[in-house]
Amino acid sequence: MALINCDRKCGCVCTICSILSSVIFGIVAAILRFRGLIDFSPVFLWSVLAVSVVVLVVVIAALAYGNQLRECKWKCAMLNTLLAGVLGTILFSVLLLGIVCIRSIGLSAVLGGLLIAFFSLAVTNTACLIKCLALCQK
């Protein structure tokens, strides 16, 4: 439960935990890709790209049409981290889709690790933002 709790000292544990967990996921994915245990197929890359674009559109629509009267203390920090995760996911999935044949397994491992890190950052920070907005007071 520490992943979604905000403390009283003006620091959000959720954002920090989502960044740390995304770094861990990225490192694990890079190691698994380097050892040849996982492969990033075009279907997976297109799926990650589509999910990230949908999250970006939903966040923009929610901010444009949402209730602006509700205040959430850490909304801006969470939105910045969420946008970094979504845009990083879009960037690396397009980059991996554009590179048809990666001859270097090391480069493929690094790019795949970065893709998974940004995607997990977007997913965990979306959960943080939803939790923060659900508990906001008028």
Side-chain angles (χ1 to χ4, degrees):
M1 287 307 230
L3 186 65
I4 53 176
N5 291 332
C6 290
D7 62 1
R8 294 183 182 134
K9 295 181 181 181
C10 299
C12 191
V13 175
C14 183
T15 302
I16 294 169
C17 287
S18 68
I19 292 170
L20 291 176
S21 66
S22 69
V23 168
I24 291 169
F25 283 139
I27 291 171
V28 169
I31 291 170
L32 290 175
R33 175 65 188 125
F34 185 74
R35 302 209 18 116
L37 299 174
I38 60 173
D39 189 26
F40 298 117
S41 67
V43 172
F44 172 74
L45 295 173
W46 280 109
S47 300
V48 168
L49 179 63
V51 167
S52 297
V53 169
V54 167
V55 167
L56 185 62
V57 169
V58 167
V59 167
I60 290 171
L63 290 175
Y65 298 112
N67 187 358
Q68 299 298 326
L69 298 176
R70 301 187 85 175
E71 288 296 322
C72 184
K73 194 175 193 179
W74 294 103
K75 184 169 58 174
C76 288
M78 288 181 193
L79 281 174
N80 289 338
T81 311
L82 175 64
L83 288 176
V86 167
L87 294 176
T89 302
I90 291 170
L91 172 74
F92 285 109
S93 60
V94 167
L95 184 64
L96 283 169
L97 280 168
I99 300 173
V100 176
C101 180
I102 298 177
R103 296 180 194 259
S104 169
I105 193 73
L107 179 63
S108 173
V110 169
L111 292 176
L114 287 170
L115 172 69
I116 297 299
F118 279 112
F119 185 67
S120 65
L121 179 66
V123 169
T124 55
N125 218 359
T126 301
C128 291
L129 186 62
I130 290 170
K131 179 71 175 180
C132 179
L133 293 175
L135 295 178
C136 290
Q137 302 294 325
K138 283 188 178 182

